[in-house]
């Protein structure tokens, strides 16, 4: 210290500054690691007293912590007034008096694992299920002269699209209720469906619709199976068809006089109205043919000005009008499925072979990604363990791509402007198998459309239900728009979209004899090991006596385009 004091004043000052800077440099810098200072869901609830009761639900169920972490959630948030009404309805004095399991299911029903703004709502099912597993239904209602968005047909959204740090919030005026009654119970409690309930009991279907879902575990992931969809008929619909009692039903349909017999016409009458899987109106609208529980029988579907029509077809130039599904009374969720209501009585229709246009991108796992599926410029890559209707050998993933109009990659020329991208080669994606839509029994020509690539693409063999088709596909073959279309067809090629494009090619792989009406499997086996990706568009199953060129699919859009029949005939 003595030496320090003997230093000149200027040197002492310089040394002090140096020591101060050195000390500052050794002090850890305080960094704000959050890039978004917006509060998360739980903190938002804490800051707003009008939602304190739902916050209490989160805390009791131990969900408050994960709802305050990073994520992209959608919360349908009931107000305190809504929660109080719920407690009154269930006879509970407080939130703590509600059984914990019921409270957990209730909370999860209000939460989605994706951000879904009201701009993505449709008149029907939200594509993303709730964390509880059941889907939510949105719609529009006019109440007191003002239009409101409803959720599950009971709750109104009073404030929407509230942005928080980990998602989005829609405030609702009623608590959403978990559907805890089976299909059989849901139908029976509706007085307008009393005759339909009698028919279910007489045929044994009531017991089948009263079964709970089955929990299965696949690769460590638990899933619920056994969902069914019911197309019910009201007493008024039966009355309009001259049917006023169960005896009338038996007289009209029970040709074996034994409704419990699966071959009895009354049993078939009921089983024809029961569909496998969970299928809301939004699902029916995009499904050309529906499997039913009646053996080998299907129901065709068309959309007309927002109405779902069943079995509307033209035969020999005569239009057979379809059966409308009553939208307001449909999409009723049950614990093991969903109930719809039809507006007219109908029976099984015998069907001739009909064309099936199978867009390979129409996979449930792609379709539920509402921010990506058929949104130009978006794409997603998924592992095979995520797919329910596509399988393959190998360790690679497959990709969904929706192209921007005018894309230099020309993917926008595909039907719906989307394709499936996969590396078809050994150890990557080999023996890729797709579950087809329902195909009515009969003989069909099978056409496979793809976006060609000049190099590093495979030679592929196609199988239908394990049977190899005779003609191979060379993914390096370019489409031909100059050769006469009928000459091209005779060589086993065609243009599947209009306007025509040589960027895509369509190969006739062979003829198949579909023995049973239902869903089938088409498999692509790579016979070579090139290094690049292949682009698959659509598979056409056209009856052998149908024109194989017309109608053509719309390039970059939905439905058909250009002449629907050959203008040269």
């Amino acid at each position: 210290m003595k030496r320090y004091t003997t230093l000149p004043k200027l040197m002492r000052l310089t040394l002090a500054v140096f020591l101060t800077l050195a000390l500052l440099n050794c002090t850890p810098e305080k960094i704000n690691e959050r890039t978004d200072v917006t509060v998360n869901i739980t903190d938002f609830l804490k800051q707003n007293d009008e939602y304190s009761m739902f916050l209490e639900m989160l805390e009791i169920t131990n969900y408050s912590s994960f709802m305050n972490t990073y994520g992209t959630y959608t919360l349908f948030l009931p107000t305190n007034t809504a929660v109080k009404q719920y407690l009154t309805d269930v006879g509970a004095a407080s939130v703590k008096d509600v059984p914990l399991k019921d409270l957990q299911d209730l909370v999860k029903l209000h939460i989605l694992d994706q951000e879904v703004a009201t701009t993505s709502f449709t008149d029907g099912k939200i594509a993303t299920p709730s964390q509880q597993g059941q889907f939510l239904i949105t719609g529009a209602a006019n109440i007191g002269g003002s239009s409101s968005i409803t959720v599950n047909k009971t709750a109104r959204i009073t404030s929407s699209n509230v942005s928080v740090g980990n998602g989005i919030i829609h405030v609702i005026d009623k608590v959403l209720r978990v559907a805890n009654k089976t299909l059989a119970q849901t139908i029976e409690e509706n007085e307008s469906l009393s005759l339909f309930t009698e028919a279910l009991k007489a045929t044994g279907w009531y017991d089948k619709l009263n079964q709970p879902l089955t929990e299965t575990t696949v690769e460590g992931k638990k899933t619920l199976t056994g969902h069914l969809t019911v197309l019910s008929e009201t007493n008024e619909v039966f009355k309009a068809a001259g049917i006023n009692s169960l005896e009338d039903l038996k007289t009209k349909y029970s040709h074996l006089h034994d409704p419990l017999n699966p071959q009895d016409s009354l049993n078939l009458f009921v089983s024809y109205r029961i569909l496998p899987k969970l299928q809301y109106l939004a699902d029916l609208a995009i499904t050309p043919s529906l499997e039913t529980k009646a053996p080998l029988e299907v129901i065709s579907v068309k959309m007309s000005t927002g109405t779902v029509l069943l079995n509307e077809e033209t035969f020999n130039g005569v239009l057979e009008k379809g059966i409308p599904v009553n939208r307001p009374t449909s999409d009723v969720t049950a614990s093991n499925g969903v109930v719809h209501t039809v507006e007219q009585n109908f029976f099984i229709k015998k069907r001739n072979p009909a064309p099936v246009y199978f867009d390979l991108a129409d996979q449930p796992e792609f379709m539920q990604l509402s921010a990506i599926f058929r949104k130009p410029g978006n794409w997603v890559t998924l592992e095979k363990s995520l797919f329910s209707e596509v399988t393959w050998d190998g360790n690679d993933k497959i990709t969904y791509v929706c192209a921007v109009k005018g894309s230099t990659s020309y993917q926008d020329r595909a039907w719906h402007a989307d394709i499936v991208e996969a590396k078809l080669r050994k150890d990557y994606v080999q023996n890729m198998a797709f579950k087809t839509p329902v195909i009515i029994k009969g003989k069909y020509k099978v056409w496979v459309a793809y976006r060609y690539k000049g190099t590093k693409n495979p030679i592929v063999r196609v199988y239908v239900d394990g049977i190899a088709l005779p003609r191979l596909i060379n993914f390096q073959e370019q489409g031909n728009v100059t050769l006469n279309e009928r000459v091209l067809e005779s060589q086993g090629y065609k243009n599947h979209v209009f306007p025509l494009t040589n960027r895509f090619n369509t190969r006739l792989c062979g003829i198949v004899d579909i023995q049973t009406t239902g869903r089938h499997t088409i498999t692509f086996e790579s016979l070579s090991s090139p290094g690049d990706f292949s682009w698959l568009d659509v598979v056409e199953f056209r009856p052998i006596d149908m024109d194989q060129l017309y109608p053509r699919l719309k390039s970059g859009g939905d439905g058909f385009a250009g002449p629907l029949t050959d203008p040269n005939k």
Side-chain angles (χ1 to χ4, degrees):
M1 178 63 77
K2 185 176 181 181
R3 289 183 181 180
Y4 177 78
T5 56
T6 60
L7 292 173
K9 184 177 181 180
L10 180 60
M11 292 183 66
R12 292 201 306 269
L13 179 61
T14 301
L15 182 59
V17 171
F18 175 79
L19 291 173
T20 300
L21 290 174
L23 180 62
L24 288 174
N25 285 336
C26 292
T27 302
E29 183 179 1
K30 294 182 179 180
I31 299 175
N32 182 4
E33 296 182 352
R34 288 191 61 178
T35 58
D36 184 359
V37 295
T38 306
V39 295
N40 287 337
I41 289 174
T42 301
D43 285 339
F44 175 86
L45 300 182
K46 290 178 179 178
Q47 294 177 9
N48 293 273
D49 290 339
E50 63 266 40
Y51 312 123
S52 61
M53 297 186 75
F54 190 79
L55 174 62
E56 185 180 0
M57 289 182 173
L58 290 179
E59 291 172 340
I60 291 174
T61 55
N62 292 323
Y63 293 149
S64 59
S65 57
F66 88 78
M67 291 307 292
N68 215 35
T69 58
Y70 174 79
T72 53
Y73 302 107
T74 298
L75 171 64
F76 290 88
L77 174 60
T79 62
N80 286 350
T81 301
V83 176
K84 289 176 182 176
Q85 183 59 54
Y86 162 74
L87 294 176
T88 299
D89 293 342
V90 299
S94 68
V95 171
K96 294 179 181 178
D97 293 330
V98 180
L100 180 60
K101 178 64 168 61
D102 293 348
L103 210 56
Q104 290 172 332
D105 284 341
L106 192 73
V107 166
K108 290 189 288 185
L109 184 68
H110 289 74
I111 302 169
L112 312 183
D113 284 330
Q114 287 187 11
E115 288 189 24
V116 183
T118 54
T119 52
S120 298
F121 289 177
T122 59
D123 188 9
K125 180 191 76 174
I126 296 178
T128 302
S130 69
Q131 287 190 349
Q132 191 273 339
Q134 292 181 0
F135 287 89
L136 302 183
I137 308 297
T138 59
N142 192 293
I143 302 174
S146 61
S147 181
S148 301
I149 298 174
T150 61
V151 184
N152 281 7
K153 304 185 180 183
T154 58
R156 290 188 307 121
I157 293 180
T158 58
S159 180
S160 61
N161 305 318
V162 180
S163 180
V164 289
N166 58 346
I168 194 169
I169 294 174
H170 306 299
V171 180
I172 54 179
D173 66 352
K174 286 188 179 180
V175 171
L176 305 177
R177 304 294 291 272
V178 176
N180 53 16
K181 294 182 179 179
T182 65
L183 287 163
Q185 294 167 340
T186 301
I187 292 169
E188 186 173 25
E189 74 173 2
N190 187 337
E191 292 183 1
S192 69
L193 300 177
S194 61
L195 182 50
F196 190 75
T197 301
E198 289 186 64
L200 291 176
K201 292 181 177 179
T203 56
W205 276 101
Y206 183 94
D207 292 338
K208 297 175 184 177
L209 297 181
N210 206 31
Q211 296 297 315
L213 297 175
T214 301
E215 185 175 88
T216 59
T217 302
V218 179
E219 296 182 356
K221 183 179 179 181
K222 292 184 178 180
T223 59
L224 293 174
T225 59
H227 290 94
L228 295 172
T229 299
V230 181
L231 304 172
S232 66
E233 289 191 19
T234 64
N235 297 341
E236 288 187 3
V237 168
F238 280 124
K239 185 177 180 180
I243 302 170
N244 296 291
S245 66
L246 180 60
E247 288 305 314
D248 289 344
L249 265 175
K250 290 180 179 179
T251 300
K252 186 175 180 67
Y253 294 115
S254 184
H255 77 295
L256 296 179
H257 308 293
D258 182 10
L260 290 172
N261 188 328
Q263 297 181 355
D264 183 84
S265 294
L266 182 55
N267 196 295
L268 292 171
F269 174 90
V270 173
S271 61
Y272 192 54
R273 286 157 172 73
I274 300 173
L275 318 176
K277 299 193 308 182
L278 186 68
Q279 301 187 75
Y280 287 84
L281 289 182
D283 304 307
L284 300 185
I286 60 172
T287 310
S289 297
L290 304 171
E291 289 183 81
T292 74
K293 287 297 185 176
L296 309 182
E297 301 295 347
V298 299
I299 295 174
S300 65
V301 181
K302 286 186 178 180
M303 286 293 295
S304 177
T305 61
T307 300
V308 176
L309 297 175
L310 308 178
N311 286 343
E312 177 161 297
E313 299 290 348
T314 300
F315 291 102
N316 298 322
V318 178
L319 173 65
E320 296 181 1
K321 291 187 177 180
I323 308 300
V325 177
N326 190 311
R327 182 178 290 272
T329 58
S330 294
D331 277 347
V332 178
T333 300
S335 62
N336 57 346
V338 61
V339 180
H340 306 300
T341 306
V342 297
E343 296 183 3
Q344 297 173 24
N345 185 52
F346 66 101
F347 193 60
I348 296 172
K349 285 199 173 184
K350 296 300 180 182
R351 293 295 182 196
N352 294 319
V356 172
Y357 307 101
F358 179 25
D359 189 331
L360 296 175
D362 283 351
Q363 301 304 322
E365 294 72 24
F366 294 145
M367 297 165 73
Q368 72 179 5
L369 301 176
S370 56
I372 294 174
F373 186 70
R374 297 202 175 137
K375 297 296 190 297
N378 286 279
W379 58 275
V380 65
T381 299
L382 300 179
E383 297 181 359
K384 67 178 180 180
S385 61
L386 298 176
F387 289 93
S388 59
E389 299 185 353
V390 188
T391 60
W392 63 86
D393 301 329
N395 302 315
D396 209 19
K397 306 173 184 178
I398 66 173
T399 299
Y400 168 88
V401 179
C402 184
V404 176
K405 188 173 179 59
S407 168
T408 56
S409 67
Y410 301 99
Q411 315 292 30
D412 62 316
R413 310 289 176 86
W415 194 35
H416 299 123
D418 57 7
I419 51 93
V420 171
E421 179 182 271
K423 190 172 286 188
L424 295 174
R425 57 173 293 182
K426 186 178 179 182
D427 298 328
Y428 284 81
V429 178
Q430 178 77 348
N431 299 317
M432 183 165 58
F434 292 82
K435 207 70 165 175
T436 72
V438 173
I439 305 174
I440 299 172
K441 59 183 178 181
K443 290 187 177 182
Y444 296 83
K445 290 186 177 181
V446 181
W447 298 85
V448 175
Y450 60 93
R451 160 76 160 89
Y452 98 96
K453 188 177 290 186
T455 60
K456 298 181 181 179
N457 252 229
I459 305 295
V460 169
R461 175 180 286 125
V462 175
Y463 298 78
V464 175
D465 293 336
I467 299 175
L469 301 187
R471 293 179 175 175
L472 305 180
I473 305 175
N474 181 353
F475 276 71
Q476 295 180 183
E477 283 188 322
Q478 185 175 1
N480 191 318
V481 294
T482 58
L483 190 64
N484 178 276
E485 61 183 8
R486 293 300 176 185
V487 173
L488 190 65
E489 179 191 0
S490 69
Q491 297 174 358
Y493 300 92
K494 72 171 183 174
N495 294 287
H496 77 299
V497 291
F498 185 90
L500 308 183
T501 173
N502 65 355
R503 297 291 176 173
F504 280 78
N505 197 13
T506 307
R507 179 63 162 149
L508 174 63
C509 298
I511 296 175
V512 294
D513 187 359
I514 301 295
Q515 296 290 324
T516 59
T517 296
R519 304 187 69 187
H520 298 267
T521 302
I522 183 165
T523 304
F524 299 91
E525 178 194 21
S526 177
L527 302 180
S528 57
S529 295
D532 212 341
F533 291 99
S534 301
W535 299 315
L536 294 140
D537 186 14
V538 64
V539 178
E540 297 183 16
F541 293 85
R542 294 202 181 206
I544 58 174
D545 57 355
M546 176 183 176
D547 192 316
Q548 300 298 306
L549 302 184
Y550 296 90
R552 285 189 169 99
L553 305 174
K554 185 176 181 179
S555 175
D558 300 331
F560 303 113
L564 298 182
T565 57
D566 189 348
N568 297 316
K569 289 186 178 179

